[in-house]
């Protein structure tokens, strides 16, 4: 199909209708932070759909993402607990995507709960179309290793290493926790008192989080 939307611009459109104006195999990197279907108050969107209605909506917009991705394209999905498993399986089993990593974004100033553990994380799924053909600029996200920083080991790779898979309960309990070398990411959520907060945005993500995703492309 012919490309109808220009790049290097912000388009305020219905996501499905907007993506339908993009050509097949035209996008290198897509990042989506869709509604979580948890009853959040939006201006024109109903965030409390029946489960099947929400899953059908997700299937349609994610199908457009997959269609527009290049063969070596990458898709990152930010999603909450309620539908993380369903959307991951949908992308893999129905839409043919391959999950390279399941990253956890840990943050403070999450939703306070009075009768449950307070929310402090979001799931970040890292998908590619072809598991054998994709862009991953590992040199851009390498970090110093313990061999370099702690042991001064001559065998250490001078370029550092790629991120680990790490679980930590609280960042204040481990001074070395949530470093860039881990796949449990800690970036403070953009709270209402922060200068960079855009008042109209109910779920604003920190630029550092998207910066890490963009750096590996």
């Amino acid at each position: 199909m012919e490309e109808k939307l220009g790049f290097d611009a912000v388009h305020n459109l219905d996501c499905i209708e907007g993506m339908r104006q993009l050509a097949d195999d035209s996008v290198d990197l897509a990042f989506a932070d869709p509604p979580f279907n948890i009853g959040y108050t939006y201006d024109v969107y109903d965030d409390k759909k029946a489960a099947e209605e929400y899953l059908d909506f997700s299937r349609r917009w994610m199908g457009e993402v997959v269609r527009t991705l290049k063969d070596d394209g990458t898709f990152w999905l930010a999603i909450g607990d309620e539908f993380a498993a369903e959307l991951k399986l949908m992308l893999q089993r129905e839409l043919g995507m391959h999950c390279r990593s399941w990253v956890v974004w840990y943050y403070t100033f999450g939703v306070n709960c009075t009768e449950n553990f307070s929310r402090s994380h979001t799931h970040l799924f890292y998908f590619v179309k072809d598991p054998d053909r994709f862009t991953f600029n590992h040199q851009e996200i390498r970090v110093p290793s313990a061999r370099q920083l702690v042991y001064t080991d001559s065998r250490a790779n001078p370029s550092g290493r790629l991120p680990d898979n790490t679980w930590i309960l609280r960042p204040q309990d481990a001074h070395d926790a949530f470093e860039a070398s881990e796949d449990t990411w800690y970036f403070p959520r953009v709270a209402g008192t922060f200068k960079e907060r855009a008042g109209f945005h109910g779920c604003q993500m920190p630029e550092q989080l998207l910066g890490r995703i963009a750096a590996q492309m």
Side-chain angles (χ1 to χ4, degrees), residues 94-106:
E94 296 185 31
L95 300 175
M97 296 292 283
H98 301 268
C99 188
R100 296 204 72 226
S101 190
W102 184 333
V103 174
V104 173
W105 170 32
Y106 168 87

Side-chain angles (χ1 to χ4, degrees), residues 15-16 35 45 53-62:
C15 67
I16 296 174
Y45 174 81
E53 183 183 2
Y54 177 75
L55 291 174
D56 180 65
F57 163 69
S58 300
R59 181 179 290 107
R60 287 185 291 120
W61 74 255
M62 292 192 306

Side-chain angles (χ1 to χ4, degrees), residues 102-153:
W102 184 333
V103 174
V104 173
W105 170 32
Y106 168 87
Y107 49 77
T108 53
F109 297 105
V111 176
N112 183 54
C113 296
T114 58
E115 297 182 3
N116 202 345
F117 302 109
S118 293
R119 290 175 181 253
S120 62
H121 71 278
T122 293
H123 306 281
L124 295 170
F125 292 118
Y126 166 27
F127 288 100
V128 296
K129 258 191 170 180
D130 186 338
D132 299 315
R133 184 180 170 218
F134 53 85
T135 299
F136 187 73
N137 292 322
H138 58 88
Q139 293 297 343
E140 297 298 321
I141 58 173
R142 296 184 78 88
V143 294
S145 66
R147 285 181 182 269
Q148 293 172 288
L149 297 177
V150 180
Y151 305 109
T152 319
D153 192 329

Side-chain angles (χ1 to χ4, degrees), residues 25-214:
D25 309 316
S26 61
V27 175
D28 292 296
L29 170 66
F31 178 89
D33 178 21
F36 291 178
N37 206 42
I38 56 176
Y40 187 86
T41 302
Y42 290 95
D43 54 354
V44 295
Y45 174 81
D46 175 16
D47 193 43
K48 207 168 184 178
K49 299 179 184 296
E52 288 306 316
E53 183 183 2
Y54 177 75
L55 291 174
D56 180 65
F57 163 69
S58 300
R59 181 179 290 107
R60 287 185 291 120
W61 74 255
M62 292 192 306
E64 288 300 314
V65 170
V66 173
R67 178 189 63 78
T68 59
L69 278 181
K70 294 180 180 178
D71 290 341
D72 59 352
T74 296
F75 173 41
W76 282 80
L77 171 64
I79 194 66
D81 292 352
E82 288 75 12
F83 288 91
E86 288 92 333
L87 297 194
K88 180 177 184 291
L89 289 177
M90 186 182 295
L91 278 158
Q92 292 175 171
R93 297 181 179 179
E94 296 185 31
L95 300 175
M97 296 292 283
H98 301 268
C99 188
R100 296 204 72 226
S101 190
W102 184 333
V103 174
V104 173
W105 170 32
Y106 168 87
Y107 49 77
T108 53
F109 297 105
V111 176
N112 183 54
C113 296
T114 58
E115 297 182 3
N116 202 345
F117 302 109
S118 293
R119 290 175 181 253
S120 62
H121 71 278
T122 293
H123 306 281
L124 295 170
F125 292 118
Y126 166 27
F127 288 100
V128 296
K129 258 191 170 180
D130 186 338
D132 299 315
R133 184 180 170 218
F134 53 85
T135 299
F136 187 73
N137 292 322
H138 58 88
Q139 293 297 343
E140 297 298 321
I141 58 173
R142 296 184 78 88
V143 294
S145 66
R147 285 181 182 269
Q148 293 172 288
L149 297 177
V150 180
Y151 305 109
T152 319
D153 192 329
S154 60
R155 295 172 297 174
N157 185 333
S159 298
R161 64 186 179 86
L162 287 174
D164 277 345
N165 151 342
T166 306
W167 293 9
I168 292 286
L169 289 178
R170 300 193 308 165
Q172 58 267 46
D173 292 338
H175 298 297
D176 297 328
F178 298 109
E179 298 294 334
S181 61
E182 300 168 356
D183 77 348
T184 300
W185 297 359
Y186 171 55
F187 300 113
R189 192 172 66 90
V190 183
T193 55
F194 290 12
K195 291 182 179 179
E196 60 267 38
R197 179 63 178 258
F200 61 88
H201 201 302
C203 185
Q204 184 176 344
M205 286 194 167
E207 291 184 4
Q208 302 101 305
L209 185 146
L210 296 176
R212 178 175 291 178
I213 289 173

